[in-house]
Amino acid sequence: MVIMLVQEYDDKMLALLNDSAYKVLQNDPTASLQKKTNNMAKRLADLKLIDRSTLGRLQTQSATCPCIYGQPKAHKPNLPLRPVVPNITAPTYQLSKFIAHILQTTFTSQYNVKDSFTFAQEINAITIPSEHVLVSFDVVSLFTNIPKNLIIRSIIFRWTDIKKGTDINLDLFLEMIELCLGNSYFKFRDKYYQQTFGTVMGSPLSPILADYVMEDLLGTVINRIGFTPPVIKKYVDDLFLVLHESQVEHILGIFNQYDPHLQFTMELEKEGALPFLDTLVIHNTDDHTLQTRWYSKAISSGRLLNYHSYHPTNMKLNVATNFIKRVTQLTTSMPIEQQKHIIFQNLRQNNYPSSLINRLMNRTRIAVTPSTAHSSFHAEAEPQQSPQPPANHHPTLEPQPPPPPPIPPPPTNINTSEVPPTEVQETAATYKSLPNIPTLTPSIIGILKKDYSLVKIATKTEKSVKTLLRPVKDPVPQLDQNNIVYSIPCTNCDRVYIGMTTNQLKKRLSGHRSNINKLTQTNIDVEQAKTALIKHMIEEQHTFNLEGTKIVDRTFRSTALPMLEMCHIQNTPHTVNFRTDVDSLHTTYAGILHTVKSTLTGRKQSRRNTQLLAVDTTNHTE
């Protein structure tokens, strides 16, 4: 967590936006860009390149301008900001996801590593030539510095592979990419900006495009230096290499000559060690072998999910277990006792009980399979595969049980296209999340687990850091928000109208205003009233305060809106809504909603009583 003065944050953001890669826009371009995106999706559908469901997903009528924010780079001096533009509300978001999926399914790399575990597996026990050193290269701000011409060239160069994943021709595919890249825009402090160079960090298209460019860069550099280094590993913009100590500066220069916008910084091994991802790679100078160790940066606070935090117990256990696995699976250059000390120290710092830590360590040592763990915790699990234990072998503290019999692989001659649809649906799990309410949530999960085994429930806490601290992103104006449940108060009584909309609130209110104008201009009877709001106005001769509209709930998933609306109608007293508006709400929810309503009412009453008590005490003291 980084705490920064608002003025300092604004100054750093404005300094970033003064770069030539950004230009100020006079107006919000959302409406025009939304039209362009929808027209592109319609073209794809007219050409029979996408089906109707994909068309519905790519088109949008409720896009809003993304808001940029700066993510502090806490590991660098002066806390520079990394610009992030969450594109989920942008008109081109779904189209970018569509393009990225095509590119990802056809992309292959001989240098990429999936994560730190894969890196540790591939690096451990490698022997490198003498007089070679470990070095890492890092691109300075890769996403915002990728030239568009390199992206286009890479797509054209790899089109033979890409076209295997789509029926779209090259010209139209490049036009789609141009639409997404050329219309990267955002808002900051009520000003609109457009990014004129590079790709946006926050777009689903940026990571795969960066992968394509970096892959071509590596191929070009290797051709120029005339040989392949003994070790090359890539994770996004970070490169891990083993190079002859006399060639490091020369090869760095060749990397920096590839394109003036893509410049690399370098870090050499120090005292035979070099950090990369979450590992510290150890260079044993006596036999020139490589080993790894779990690593955290010097600025790391060691903070994990605290054992006393307001989270489900199973979530805390998973955090602790994953930390134990991370330390043990990424470490091969440390005795088991030191690994236990690191685990114990970090988990105790986060208030995990000692007895629980010991149980989790014992369970993890048994559960992790030898094929995925190189730690000395698991060195004896399969002696038949390693008759000669390595030099760094340390016996486990307890005898290990024999491994379970191998699970036979599924038949390879099954044609999945011939499996009946019902069978496929029966094996597909559905994943949902619920707020963590200590008594209620476990009961619901237990019921669902018993009767609906394929429904997997994850819990989430409503008490997060963002509820305590001021958000760094500009707030979206209420009238521009969509996928919401709203309430409109009656001007003449205490009743309210509850409604929902997937469009922006201002569009929905415009519809209400139009209906109200028609009511005042023509004589409409109660039977002709289309909404409960109009019916109340006719029957009671009342008016509604549209300017007093409030948003009572919101969600990114429009399919959840009808349920949210019914729940709020059910739990809101004095609504004017029709009784039929909640007919689809199952009676099972009645008790739950009553409990929630009683709890909230009790909290409000408790706060009110506390305030009255404080007043009474003050008066008594006086």
Side-chain angles (χ1 to χ4, degrees):
M1 181 189 299
V2 175
I3 298 178
M4 185 182 298
L5 293 173
V6 174
Q7 187 59 50
E8 181 185 0
Y9 173 81
D10 286 354
D11 290 343
K12 290 185 176 184
M13 284 298 298
L14 291 174
L16 277 174
L17 299 178
N18 283 334
D19 188 89
S20 58
Y22 304 99
K23 72 175 183 179
V24 179
L25 300 176
Q26 298 301 319
N27 300 301
D28 182 359
T30 300
S32 60
L33 181 55
Q34 180 174 273
K35 184 177 180 180
K36 292 179 183 178
T37 306
N38 290 343
N39 288 340
M40 174 61 73
K42 188 174 183 303
R43 281 178 60 189
L44 295 175
D46 292 342
L47 294 171
K48 308 299 182 182
L49 298 173
I50 58 174
D51 55 25
R52 304 304 298 180
S53 62
T54 305
L55 172 64
R57 189 172 70 251
L58 297 184
Q59 288 187 325
T60 179
Q61 304 298 332
S62 56
T64 57
C65 179
C67 296
I68 192 173
Y69 69 92
Q71 191 177 67
K73 302 179 182 180
H75 60 289
K76 294 190 177 181
N78 300 322
L79 289 176
L81 300 181
R82 178 187 292 110
V84 181
V85 183
N87 267 229
I88 192 169
T89 63
T92 57
Y93 178 73
Q94 292 295 339
L95 183 62
S96 296
K97 284 182 64 177
F98 177 73
I99 299 171
H101 176 72
I102 295 173
L103 295 176
Q104 288 167 346
T105 53
T106 57
F107 177 74
T108 57
S109 171
Q110 57 181 317
Y111 308 113
N112 273 7
V113 290
K114 180 182 178 182
D115 49 35
S116 52
F117 297 105
T118 305
F119 175 75
Q121 291 176 9
E122 296 177 358
I123 286 296
N124 273 303
I126 287 181
T127 302
I128 65 175
S130 59
E131 299 182 349
H132 280 60
V133 293
L134 313 180
V135 59
S136 65
F137 292 161
D138 179 23
V139 185
V140 179
S141 302
L142 173 62
F143 284 15
T144 55
N145 282 304
I146 300 178
K148 190 182 300 182
N149 66 297
L150 293 185
I151 295 174
I152 300 302
R153 186 175 70 184
S154 182
I155 297 298
I156 295 174
F157 178 73
R158 295 173 177 270
W159 184 247
T160 303
D161 294 325
I162 296 173
K163 69 179 182 180
K164 297 176 183 177
T166 180
D167 294 329
I168 303 173
N169 62 50
L170 176 59
D171 291 337
L172 183 55
F173 196 79
L174 292 177
E175 188 178 344
M176 293 162 57
I177 292 179
E178 176 69 29
L179 175 62
C180 295
L181 294 181
N183 292 280
S184 300
Y185 76 109
F186 51 85
K187 184 172 70 170
F188 181 74
R189 300 298 184 253
D190 296 327
K191 282 188 176 181
Y192 298 97
Y193 296 83
Q194 182 174 1
Q195 183 171 332
T196 59
F197 190 87
T199 60
V200 174
M201 181 172 290
S203 168
L205 189 55
S206 297
I208 185 62
L209 293 180
D211 252 343
Y212 271 72
V213 171
M214 287 294 293
E215 199 74 13
D216 291 345
L217 182 150
L218 279 174
T220 301
V221 169
I222 290 174
N223 286 335
R224 289 179 181 176
I225 63 179
F227 67 92
T228 301
V231 177
I232 305 180
K233 301 296 178 184
K234 175 170 70 73
Y235 185 80
V236 191
D237 60 343
D238 292 331
L239 300 176
F240 177 88
L241 303 98
V242 173
L243 301 173
H244 194 280
E245 56 188 5
S246 65
Q247 296 177 321
V248 173
E249 293 292 343
H250 172 66
I251 293 177
L252 175 62
I254 294 177
F255 270 94
N256 285 329
Q257 290 171 5
Y258 180 77
D259 186 274
H261 297 96
L262 300 179
Q263 296 300 295
F264 289 79
T265 59
M266 177 188 69
E267 184 176 359
L268 273 171
E269 67 173 75
K270 295 179 182 179
E271 300 179 355
L274 178 69
F276 188 77
L277 297 182
D278 293 334
T279 68
L280 185 69
V281 184
I282 309 298
H283 179 191
N284 299 314
T285 55
D286 50 351
D287 59 358
H288 301 291
T289 58
L290 301 183
Q291 292 179 306
T292 59
R293 181 183 303 173
W294 173 79
Y295 173 79
S296 62
K297 294 180 179 179
I299 65 167
S300 173
S301 65
R303 181 184 293 274
L304 301 172
L305 185 64
N306 196 283
Y307 187 75
H308 298 313
S309 62
Y310 188 81
H311 289 81
T313 302
N314 64 332
M315 186 180 296
K316 301 170 190 175
L317 296 179
N318 288 339
V319 168
T321 301
N322 289 335
F323 177 73
I324 294 171
K325 289 182 179 180
R326 179 166 291 275
V327 173
T328 57
Q329 293 185 26
L330 297 182
T331 302
T332 60
S333 63
M334 183 184 294
I336 188 172
E337 291 301 329
Q338 292 185 27
Q339 295 181 44
K340 290 182 63 177
H341 176 73
I342 291 174
I343 293 170
F344 198 86
Q345 185 180 37
N346 278 268
L347 293 181
R348 283 297 299 138
Q349 180 182 342
N350 291 275
N351 295 317
Y352 285 80
S354 302
S355 57
L356 174 62
I357 297 173
N358 288 326
R359 288 201 305 271
L360 290 177
M361 282 196 290
N362 291 333
R363 183 190 306 171
T364 304
R365 284 161 46 202
I366 296 173
V368 178
T369 59
S371 61
T372 59
H374 294 266
S375 163
S376 55
F377 269 74
H378 326 290
E380 291 187 349
E382 283 189 344
Q384 71 277 12
Q385 294 184 3
S386 180
Q388 298 296 330
N392 66 324
H393 172 76
H394 300 279
T396 52
L397 297 181
E398 338 179 318
Q400 301 293 323
I407 300 174
T412 57
N413 58 346
I414 294 180
N415 185 355
T416 55
S417 62
E418 297 178 357
V419 179
T422 54
E423 295 184 15
V424 176
Q425 293 174 1
E426 289 176 357
T427 59
T430 300
Y431 296 89
K432 300 292 181 182
S433 63
L434 290 174
N436 177 37
I437 303 174
T439 304
L440 181 61
T441 306
S443 300
I444 295 176
I445 293 176
I447 293 172
L448 292 175
K449 188 174 182 180
K450 184 191 304 182
D451 297 333
Y452 303 95
S453 59
L454 295 179
V455 177
K456 309 298 181 182
I457 302 295
T459 55
K460 58 182 179 181
T461 178
E462 300 298 320
K463 298 181 179 180
S464 59
V465 173
K466 68 180 181 181
T467 62
L468 303 175
L469 302 178
R470 175 178 174 177
V472 295
K473 290 189 293 185
D474 289 354
V476 179
Q478 176 171 287
L479 293 177
D480 291 340
Q481 296 186 33
N482 60 345
N483 288 333
I484 58 171
V485 178
Y486 60 91
S487 69
I488 305 177
C490 178
T491 307
N492 307 97
C493 66
D494 62 349
R495 305 187 73 178
V496 296
Y497 171 78
I498 302 293
M500 71 169 191
T501 178
T502 57
N503 291 324
Q504 292 177 334
L505 179 58
K506 60 185 176 184
K507 294 182 179 180
R508 186 68 188 97
L509 292 181
S510 177
H512 283 303
R513 193 171 286 110
S514 176
N515 291 335
I516 293 173
N517 291 337
K518 290 180 181 178
L519 175 63
T520 58
Q521 295 172 4
T522 60
N523 294 323
I524 301 177
D525 55 23
V526 175
E527 287 73 17
Q528 294 176 314
K530 294 183 178 179
T531 65
L533 182 146
I534 297 297
K535 180 181 179 182
H536 181 76
M537 291 182 66
I538 296 174
E539 290 180 339
E540 305 294 336
Q541 295 298 306
H542 287 181
T543 60
F544 278 85
N545 180 16
L546 297 183
E547 287 69 27
T549 301
K550 294 181 180 179
I551 295 177
V552 296
D553 216 331
R554 58 177 57 84
T555 177
F556 279 116
R557 289 158 47 183
S558 58
T559 54
L561 274 178
M563 175 62 71
L564 286 177
E565 182 192 35
M566 287 189 292
C567 289
H568 281 284
I569 293 173
Q570 181 72 23
N571 256 24
T572 303
H574 311 302
T575 62
V576 300
N577 294 78
F578 298 131
R579 190 173 187 84
T580 54
D581 289 344
V582 293
D583 281 351
S584 298
L585 187 66
H586 198 276
T587 53
T588 305
Y589 291 95
I592 298 174
L593 291 173
H594 177 73
T595 302
V596 172
K597 182 178 179 180
S598 301
T599 302
L600 294 176
T601 304
R603 288 177 181 174
K604 290 180 181 178
Q605 186 64 36
S606 177
R607 286 197 296 268
R608 183 172 178 271
N609 291 338
T610 302
Q611 293 172 355
L612 291 174
L613 179 61
V615 173
D616 291 340
T617 304
T618 302
N619 293 335
H620 179 73
T621 304
E622 292 176 352

